[in-house]
Amino acid sequence: MNKQISILGCGWLGLPLAKALIEKGFSIKGSTTSENKLSILEENTIEPFLINLLEDKIEGNIQGFLNKSEILIIDIPPGLRGEKKHLDSARCDKIKVFVEKMKTLATQIEKSEIKKVLFVSSTSVYSDVFPIEEFTEETPTNPDTESGKQLVEVEELLLGNPNFNTIILRFGGLIGEDRHPIKYLAGKENVDNPDGFINFIHQEDCIGIIKAIIEKGLRQAQYDSVNNEEILKRVQNDKGLRQAQSDNRVKNEILKQVQHENQIFNAVAPQHPTREEYYHKKARIMNLALPIFAKDTVSKGKIISSAKIEKLLGYTFKKEI
């Protein structure tokens, strides 16, 4: 495997990810939109690039950034965190630009040696529902925020591009040693959805999952996890192969097909306490004022399953939320 990786967006997640990959022997090209951060990347032995994506062009040496890398990790958000579900047209247009930026980026990826794209998406592609349900990667997306809708559109854009393989990582709410939503909810009143469920993932596990995909290689992970029952089922479903159920050549052909599929992964810690239970517990631990939850409305929510990533990659979550 080529040991060089390009990371578009060396921010809260991208920078520590780059450091972790460097420790594993990879060479990293990293991008930022701020000139002030170029020296930080360089200090951490990351080859720095000043890249700014626009809807109709890219400012910066994008081909130099992609050159000789086979893997590109895209970790840039569509923006408007904490947005309301209904936005004025100007703010909607601002988010819509994200899709156009990704279209422009895709044309440059096509010209490069990139073979695999890892796109950091979000579980916001699933809306909260009542009654609360468990969502897997097979659940149809149904975002109720503008940024969620644009993430879905970008996912489809990348997955539909035949020039490279795409892995979509739908991370839950991101937390870390320096980042936790209770700091913003402490002492607030009328907080909604007390009986909704938490779907968070720690920064350390985000990095661990990406490392697992890269180090083990998704193709090998798929090969390891495809059991004989799945192989047999695929053989039986093809009339032309029914007589060859025990033929190793046929099995290998099926495995080869599976190995080249794009993939979508939900990535959320397996613990799912209710919002009220969780935030009250964290407030007490951090010695913060308890948030007061509204009790007169029905709680909506979702439970995101990460069973696929645990099975397919053999990944065990390291950090409890």
Side-chain angles (χ1 to χ4, degrees), residues 164-166 219 222 253-263:
F164 47 81
N165 290 335
T166 297
R219 293 180 182 180
Q222 290 172 322
E253 287 178 0
I254 294 169
L255 288 170
K256 189 181 295 184
Q257 292 173 6
V258 174
Q259 291 166 9
H260 286 281
E261 292 177 353
N262 293 331
Q263 286 291 341

Side-chain angles (χ1 to χ4, degrees), residues 172-177 179-182 196-206 267-275 277-279 281-283 285-286 304 306 317-321:
L174 302 176
I175 61 172
E177 302 306 320
R179 176 173 178 167
H180 201 288
I182 187 56
F197 294 97
I198 292 295
N199 295 282
F200 285 166
I201 183 169
H202 195 279
Q203 182 190 64
E204 185 175 317
D205 279 310
C206 294
V268 171
Q271 305 88 28
H272 299 282
T274 66
R275 283 165 51 82
E277 173 191 1
Y278 179 75
Y279 286 126
K281 177 182 177 180
K282 290 299 178 181
I285 291 173
M286 298 183 189
I304 304 296
S306 294
F317 284 82
K318 309 298 190 297
K319 300 286 286 189
E320 289 195 10
I321 58 170

Side-chain angles (χ1 to χ4, degrees), residues 55-80:
E55 59 268 36
D56 57 350
K57 64 179 180 179
I58 299 177
E59 294 178 343
N61 184 10
I62 187 64
Q63 282 304 313
F65 170 70
L66 299 174
N67 187 40
K68 296 184 179 179
S69 292
E70 291 186 1
I71 297 176
L72 169 65
I73 300 171
I74 303 175
D75 182 26
I76 53 176
L80 295 185

Side-chain angles (χ1 to χ4, degrees), residues 301-319:
K302 58 200 173 195
I303 297 176
I304 304 296
S305 170
S306 294
K308 178 180 176 180
I309 209 165
E310 292 174 302
K311 179 180 179 181
L312 197 59
L313 290 180
Y315 185 79
T316 301
F317 284 82
K318 309 298 190 297
K319 300 286 286 189

Side-chain angles (χ1 to χ4, degrees), residues 11-26:
W12 182 82
L13 175 60
L15 180 57
L17 170 63
K19 293 178 182 179
L21 291 173
I22 289 170
E23 289 178 359
K24 290 294 183 178
F26 292 92

